[in-house]
Amino acid sequence: MSNYQGPATLIAGDSKIEVEATLSSGPSGALSQWGGSVQTRETTEDFYTAMKDVDVSLLLPGGEECPVVATPTAIGSGRLRISGSGTIPF
């Protein structure tokens, strides 16, 4: 099981937003489902609008970028649920 807690960037088309990520993976090895949550540092309606129309990816400080599904948890909270699959990026 791997865990990551720290800064990351969510990317949706040309829109980017800095987040604080809390991620973990299951015990099944390198090819697995992983996920957690991210908290935005700022609210930007442009990002949420872009997120509805294009694929979203998560960029970690080490340069790992991977596709994710990002779902807001509560309107105005700035928190999103993140899920990914494939090689664990952390």
Side-chain angles (χ1 to χ4, degrees), residues 41 57 79:
R41 297 179 183 170
S57 62
R79 183 172 292 280

Side-chain angles (χ1 to χ4, degrees), residues 39-72:
Q39 178 69 47
T40 61
R41 297 179 183 170
E42 58 191 65
T43 301
T44 172
E45 200 58 40
D46 290 344
F47 179 79
Y48 292 112
T49 300
M51 191 174 82
K52 295 175 186 176
D53 297 328
V54 297
D55 293 332
V56 178
S57 62
L58 182 70
L59 176 64
L60 296 175
E64 303 86 352
E65 185 174 344
C66 47
V68 296
V69 175
T71 309

Side-chain angles (χ1 to χ4, degrees), residues 1-6 20-38 58 60 66 68 80-90:
M1 186 166 182
S2 295
N3 296 301
Y4 174 78
Q5 185 167 359
E20 188 68 22
T22 302
L23 307 170
S24 62
S25 66
S28 62
L31 293 176
S32 177
Q33 290 191 348
W34 52 271
S37 63
V38 297
L58 182 70
L60 296 175
C66 47
V68 296
L80 296 102
R81 246 184 251 117
I82 297 292
S83 61
S85 62
T87 303
I88 299 164
F90 48 89

